[in-house]
Amino acid sequence: MTVFADPHLFVSGNLALNFIGTRQERRTTGIELLTGDAELGEWVVAAGILDTAPDCTGTLAPALRLREAAWRVMLATLAGEPAADADRRLLNRHAHDAPPELTLRADGGVQRSGSIEAALAAVARSAIELLGGPDRERLKECGRDACTRLYLDTSRGGSRRWCDMAVCGNRAKSKAFRVRNTEAAH
């Protein structure tokens, strides 16, 4: 059963992890939430990377390659293993592109503009900063069986088990409750 099915839910605590989350239930149904160039542009705006959707014509495939490389690098990190050189090089290549341009407006607000390549550079930089920084130790995968979302555990004791308590946490607790009641009835 699909849990999130909305690419505009940002529960992972990191830009790159939220981008990785646009593919769900990777080990079972593999639900793809970015199915076209337009959805990629919408995600970039919803994520707050750019204020308006850039021209994403023909860029979905490279964006998904970046996403999957970031996923594999994060999994290797969780397993305490080195990342594949090809995945690491792909992250680095995207991170070398110019990031979005930031402009301070007269009203004090910030304008974010740039190309899809700039947006993907922001995603790659987010992944690299996470993997090479102190938050690396907070990286976790959701504890609900079907969910494969990665997130940063920012709980006080570092004991968070689910990517989102309102969805995966409640589903896991409900399932455990049903199992306990079924076992007690037998």
Side-chain angles (χ1 to χ4, degrees):
M1 173 185 343
T2 303
V3 174
F4 293 103
D6 179 355
H8 304 139
L9 288 176
F10 302 99
V11 299
S12 295
N14 172 277
L15 177 63
L17 298 180
N18 283 322
F19 189 57
I20 290 168
T22 61
R23 180 162 173 89
Q24 299 176 356
E25 300 180 5
R26 291 165 177 271
R27 293 185 188 99
T28 55
T29 57
I31 300 165
E32 179 59 64
L33 301 179
L34 297 178
T35 57
D37 295 338
E39 287 84 4
L40 176 61
E42 290 169 9
W43 186 89
V44 164
V45 172
I49 303 172
L50 301 173
D51 292 340
T52 58
D55 179 9
C56 295
T57 305
T59 61
L60 181 63
L64 297 183
R65 281 193 294 274
L66 170 64
R67 183 191 67 192
E68 295 309 303
W71 160 255
R72 290 187 298 270
V73 170
M74 297 292 175
L75 284 186
T77 297
L78 283 171
E81 299 171 357
D85 286 341
D87 290 335
R88 191 178 40 77
R89 283 193 302 270
L90 184 62
L91 279 175
N92 289 335
R93 192 167 44 250
H94 278 281
H96 287 143
D97 286 340
E101 297 174 16
L102 302 180
T103 304
L104 182 63
R105 297 187 315 242
D107 65 1
V110 176
Q111 178 181 338
R112 293 168 180 84
S113 59
S115 64
I116 186 60
E117 290 80 12
L120 296 177
V123 169
R125 288 169 185 231
S126 175
I128 290 168
E129 288 176 355
L130 169 60
L131 292 164
D135 283 342
R136 174 185 181 147
E137 300 303 317
R138 295 174 177 245
L139 178 63
K140 290 188 177 179
E141 184 174 356
C142 185
R144 193 176 71 79
D145 292 342
C147 186
T148 55
R149 186 177 286 267
L150 302 174
Y151 66 94
L152 289 182
D153 181 358
T154 57
S155 66
R156 185 179 303 177
S159 59
R160 187 170 145 195
R161 295 176 43 202
W162 302 287
C163 62
D164 184 58
M165 185 59 200
V167 179
C168 286
N170 281 342
R171 287 178 188 244
K173 287 183 174 193
S174 294
K175 180 180 177 183
F177 177 78
R178 285 191 306 275
V179 167
R180 281 193 309 273
N181 284 344
T182 301
E183 289 172 356
H186 290 80

